[in-house]
């Protein structure tokens, strides 16, 4: 492929993340997360969230999400999520595996944002002994379709859930893009989210994600849970180091802002210079285009990596490493499709 717009996972590590890893490699350090690098990275996250939270670094977003959900629901209960959420479509049943059978209830909503009326209808369903009742809500910011929840939209979803005594999880795989687009990270704790997955991989780290527990009662025996799940790194500083590099340099936010800007540039070019239309508003770093399968195949044949998404549109994802030259060449390629 000439350029890869298939995912923000395909970009390498940002220079500041590499530097953070190299610095973490210097000398000896205590194992299993008891080192200074891990502590500093956790403090950087707490500062951005303005919250006294427990923070642990793990190897993948799937593990982080699944373990988080297993803390919020019993095996005979279920988690409410958008039907296109990563936990529903791309984690191969990991929430049920780590949660020993917990279920997922998919909800509709445009651009990956849960429809409040659909949520209310599900919460109002009578509980019976033959179905898994909801016990938690999972939200995604930014969504799988690149949309952003406003503070008010999140509040209208979280409040009715909390009033029923249920927990709330936030998948922040692309939280850096949401923050760069204006989302206030301090709202997460204020709104009552219990556990957050603070994304690193898509922001320019290696494979690092952080589990952030605002509800410290969930942290009881957390390290035992992570160890059993194979998510306890003996040399934890090598997970935390790249994240620390991104956060201390400000590149976590700057990379998200750059990716968002590249997506806006691409969306404007597609909308004004091609015959294709955008399928969703472009609010973060992803662009979805309504494109016939033949045109998509032709674009792939020309060397451009992008793929059909769940709703049938073609997804293009920008990252911290996407260049204006690559975007402009892609616009020319899309404009030239018949």
């Amino acid at each position: 492929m000439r350029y890869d717009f298939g995912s923000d996972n395909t970009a390498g590590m940002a220079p500041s993340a590499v530097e953070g890893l190299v610095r973490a490699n210097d000398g000896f350090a205590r194992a299993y997360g008891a080192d200074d690098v891990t502590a500093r990275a956790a403090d950087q996250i707490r500062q951005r969230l303005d919250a006294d939270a427990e923070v642990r670094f793990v190897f993948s977003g799937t593990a982080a999400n699944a373990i988080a959900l297993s803390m919020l629901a019993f095996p005979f209960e279920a988690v409410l999520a958008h039907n296109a959420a990563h936990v529903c479509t791309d984690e191969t049943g990991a929430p049920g595996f780590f949660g020993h059978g917990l279920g997922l209830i998919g909800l509709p909503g445009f651009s990956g944002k849960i429809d409040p009326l659909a949520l209310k209808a599900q919460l109002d369903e009578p509980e019976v002994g033959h179905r898994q009742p909801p016990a938690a809500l999972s939200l995604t910011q930014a969504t799988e379709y690149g949309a952003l929840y406003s503070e008010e939209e999140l509040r209208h979803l979280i409040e009715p859930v909390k009033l029923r005594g249920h927990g709330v999880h936030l998948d922040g795989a692309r939280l850096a893009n949401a923050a760069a687009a204006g989302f206030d990270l301090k709202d997460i704790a204020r709104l009552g989210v219990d556990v957050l997955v603070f994304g690193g991989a898509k922001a320019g780290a290696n494979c690092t994600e952080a589990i952030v527990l605002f509800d410290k009662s969930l942290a009881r025996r957390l390290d035992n849970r992570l160890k059993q799940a194979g998510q306890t790194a003996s040399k934890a500083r090598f997970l935390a180091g790249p994240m620390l590099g991104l956060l201390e340099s400000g590149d976590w936010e700057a990379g998200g802002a750059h990716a968002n800007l590249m997506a806006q540039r691409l969306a404007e070019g597609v909308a004004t210079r091609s015959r294709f239309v955008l399928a969703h508003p472009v609010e973060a770093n992803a662009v979805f285009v309504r494109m016939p399968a033949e045109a998509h195949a032709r674009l792939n044949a020309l060397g451009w990596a992008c793929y059909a998404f769940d709703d049938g549109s073609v997804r293009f994802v920008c990252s911290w490493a996407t260049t204006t030259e690559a975007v402009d060449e892609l616009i020319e390629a899309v404009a030239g499709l018949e």
Side-chain angles (χ1 to χ4, degrees):
M1 292 295 177
R2 295 180 64 189
Y3 293 109
D4 197 318
F5 285 82
S7 172
D8 37 7
N9 285 323
T10 61
M13 292 171 65
S16 60
V18 176
E19 291 165 7
L21 180 60
V22 171
R23 287 194 298 270
N25 192 49
D26 184 36
F28 295 85
R30 295 183 66 185
Y32 299 107
D35 60 280
D36 179 63
V37 171
T38 300
R40 286 163 54 200
D43 282 341
Q44 285 284 328
I45 291 173
R46 293 186 191 100
Q47 289 170 19
R48 280 165 170 78
L49 300 170
D50 191 27
D52 179 21
E54 289 284 341
V55 179
R56 299 291 189 278
F57 297 95
V58 297
F59 295 99
S60 77
T62 293
N65 285 332
I67 292 169
L69 295 183
S70 76
M71 298 176 183
L72 299 178
F74 286 113
F76 50 84
E77 295 175 326
V79 174
L80 299 161
H82 192 278
N83 53 30
H86 203 269
V87 296
C88 291
T89 63
D90 290 285
E91 297 188 353
T92 322
F97 176 79
F98 283 94
H100 301 283
L102 74 81
L104 295 168
I105 300 173
L107 300 174
F110 185 64
S111 294
K113 296 162 73 171
I114 293 172
D115 184 332
L117 293 178
L119 174 64
K120 182 180 185 303
Q122 188 61 56
L123 290 173
D124 289 343
E125 280 282 315
E127 289 191 15
V128 297
H130 304 282
R131 293 194 297 268
Q132 291 173 293
L137 172 68
S138 178
L139 298 163
T140 308
Q141 181 78 320
T143 75
E144 298 296 329
Y145 285 99
L148 296 180
Y149 285 106
S150 68
E151 184 273 342
E152 182 178 10
E153 288 173 326
L154 287 173
R155 181 161 45 80
H156 286 313
L157 294 173
I158 292 172
E159 282 184 352
V161 170
K162 300 295 283 190
L163 283 173
R164 286 167 169 79
H166 300 336
V168 178
H169 157 260
L170 182 65
D171 179 352
R174 295 188 174 94
L175 191 61
N177 303 99
F183 176 64
D184 188 350
L185 298 180
K186 296 179 177 63
D187 284 339
I188 299 173
R190 287 196 293 253
L191 286 165
V193 172
D194 297 291
V195 56
L196 161 71
V197 174
F198 189 100
K202 291 176 170 61
N206 45 357
C207 56
T208 306
E209 310 289 309
I211 298 176
V212 182
L213 298 177
F214 299 104
D215 179 356
K216 287 195 169 185
S217 70
L218 298 173
R220 181 175 181 268
R221 295 177 177 166
L222 170 62
D223 293 318
N224 306 80
R225 186 188 295 263
L226 294 175
K227 183 70 172 180
Q228 186 184 63
Q231 291 297 314
T232 301
S234 58
K235 298 182 180 182
R237 67 189 187 278
F238 296 137
L239 284 180
M243 186 79 89
L244 180 61
L246 287 173
L247 294 171
E248 285 191 335
S249 67
D251 285 347
W252 189 81
E253 291 88 353
H258 174 77
N260 293 357
L261 183 63
M262 293 298 97
Q264 291 289 341
R265 185 184 186 98
L266 175 58
E268 181 179 358
V270 169
T272 60
R273 299 200 49 212
S274 80
R275 64 187 180 93
F276 308 111
V277 299
L278 302 177
H280 299 276
V282 179
E283 298 174 341
N285 65 319
V287 179
F288 294 82
V289 181
R290 295 291 179 200
M291 181 181 293
E294 297 79 9
H296 179 208
R298 175 61 178 157
L299 195 61
N300 286 160
L302 291 172
W304 296 95
C306 53
Y307 69 89
F309 211 63
D310 297 350
D311 69 336
S313 64
V314 176
R315 187 184 80 162
F316 302 84
V317 186
C318 300
S319 73
W320 70 269
T322 302
T323 65
T324 56
E325 292 79 11
V327 170
D328 290 345
E329 285 188 42
L330 176 56
I331 292 170
E332 290 291 336
V334 173
L337 294 173
E338 298 180 356

